[in-house]
Amino acid sequence: MENDEFDHWSKVVRQTDADVVIAAEIDQRWKASLDGLKSIYPHQIVYPQDNWYGMAMLSRLPFRESEIRFRVQDDVPSIDTMIELPSGEAIRVIGVHPRPPEPIRDNDATARDAELVLWGKELAEDHRPIVIGGDLNDVAWSPSTRLFLRLSQLLDPRRGRGFYNTFHADHLWMRFPLDHVFHSPHFTIRGLKRLEHVGSDHFPILIDLQLQPVLKDEQEPLEEKAKDEKEAELKLQRAAESDEIEAVTTPLSSHAEILHSGGQLG
């Protein structure tokens, strides 16, 4: 949200030529940049906010259905879509940005951990092709992220490939992998890279996935642990007892701007 390099960011997006773009911390100032990409990405869900939790999803592929969801707090949205591929098949693509621990504001990790648990448990029950990505405000090796992967049975494409540290982009030291893309075993990986500095304190991440369900039984998610369900319930209970958190899930808000030229929005 504090990045003013609108033209640079847009240039990198154009050069990258991705099918789907998830952008975090979108506010009203960024709308012009998103509008400038309509010729490439005619399908857009834009939910600007001035609290560092606005979000947008841009796609050259049509949305069959879409929903803005507030899993834990009513000012922290996620974007949940079904996107139609040129083959006619559909995949579920989700953009997330849970609230991080903020000691200076007396916020702990309760909200973030609860959101990851809710997504993990829900996605475990969905056997369609799934991609979920965003700034999780958590490193790849943390207990919370690994619990999410065990609950959801999704795959981390970095396993065996490297850390892909994305934060802090302005520092040459103490960088961490806070931005993630996880996917179901329906996909194989054609490429994964960290992109150039775009003015943000986070580097962008680009992943190239190929839908190949025939190979899904050959990919191994993290092995579940006996204590996972109990740990997950404890995190949800902690969130339920917090005065700062109100668990909600709402349909698409009228404040979101939807640019859509096909299919149906739910």
Side-chain angles (χ1 to χ4, degrees):
M1 195 172 82
E2 296 171 356
N3 181 12
D4 295 325
E5 296 186 28
F6 308 108
D7 292 341
H8 185 192
W9 180 87
S10 298
K11 179 182 177 181
V12 171
V13 169
R14 290 177 184 274
Q15 290 175 338
T16 301
D17 197 34
D19 291 309
V20 180
V21 177
I22 297 171
E25 299 192 14
I26 294 296
D27 61 7
Q28 288 293 338
R29 300 179 315 137
W30 276 91
K31 282 179 53 60
S33 296
L34 304 184
D35 290 344
L37 295 171
K38 288 179 185 177
S39 62
I40 305 173
Y41 300 106
H43 312 281
Q44 299 190 3
I45 299 174
V46 183
Y47 194 89
Q49 295 192 140
D50 60 2
N51 67 345
W52 288 273
Y53 294 99
M55 182 170 286
M57 186 181 294
L58 317 180
S59 177
R60 61 161 43 97
L61 306 171
F63 299 123
R64 283 190 181 178
E65 54 186 271
S66 180
E67 186 178 10
I68 293 180
R69 304 178 63 184
F70 301 85
R71 300 308 309 269
V72 175
Q73 294 172 299
D74 60 8
D75 62 344
V76 180
S78 300
I79 299 177
D80 190 353
T81 65
M82 291 298 298
I83 294 180
E84 184 175 325
L85 303 180
S87 64
E89 298 170 286
I91 63 173
R92 186 177 180 185
V93 181
I94 303 164
V96 295
H97 184 199
R99 177 169 270 119
E102 298 173 290
I104 62 173
R105 295 183 175 88
D106 200 28
N107 292 333
D108 59 17
T110 300
R112 181 200 63 198
D113 292 353
E115 182 164 340
L116 291 179
V117 166
L118 288 172
W119 279 119
K121 292 170 73 69
E122 177 178 323
L123 298 181
E125 301 298 322
D126 188 346
H127 303 295
R128 297 173 293 185
I130 296 168
V131 180
I132 182 170
D135 176 6
L136 296 190
N137 285 302
D138 201 12
V139 293
W141 57 84
S142 80
S144 296
T145 297
R146 292 180 69 82
L147 175 63
F148 164 81
L149 288 170
R150 293 195 302 270
L151 290 172
S152 66
Q153 290 294 279
L154 298 183
L155 302 174
D156 184 346
R158 287 166 304 206
R159 288 180 65 185
R161 293 181 172 86
F163 288 116
Y164 296 88
N165 295 327
T166 57
F167 177 86
H168 194 293
D170 294 327
H171 299 164
L172 295 178
W173 65 95
M174 295 293 287
R175 285 176 174 168
F176 300 97
L178 299 187
D179 300 272
H180 309 266
V181 181
F182 303 126
H183 62 89
S184 62
H186 301 80
F187 299 92
T188 56
I189 302 169
R190 299 180 59 182
L192 178 65
K193 65 186 297 186
R194 189 183 73 183
L195 301 179
E196 67 181 76
H197 198 317
V198 292
S200 169
D201 53 359
H202 290 247
F203 289 103
I205 285 285
L206 174 68
I207 188 168
D208 187 359
L209 295 170
Q210 179 169 325
L211 182 62
Q212 206 164 7
V214 68
L215 299 178
K216 69 184 182 70
D217 293 332
E218 299 181 16
Q219 304 193 71
E220 296 183 2
L222 290 182
E223 184 177 353
E224 298 176 76
K225 296 182 178 181
K227 65 178 183 178
D228 283 348
E229 191 62 32
K230 181 178 180 180
E231 184 178 348
E233 291 304 317
L234 285 174
K235 291 181 182 294
L236 295 179
Q237 182 64 31
R238 193 175 299 124
E241 294 172 353
S242 172
D243 294 333
E244 303 297 324
I245 297 175
E246 180 182 359
V248 292
T249 299
T250 62
L252 192 63
S253 168
S254 59
H255 294 101
E257 177 182 340
I258 309 293
L259 305 174
H260 182 65
S261 59
Q264 179 179 358
L265 287 177

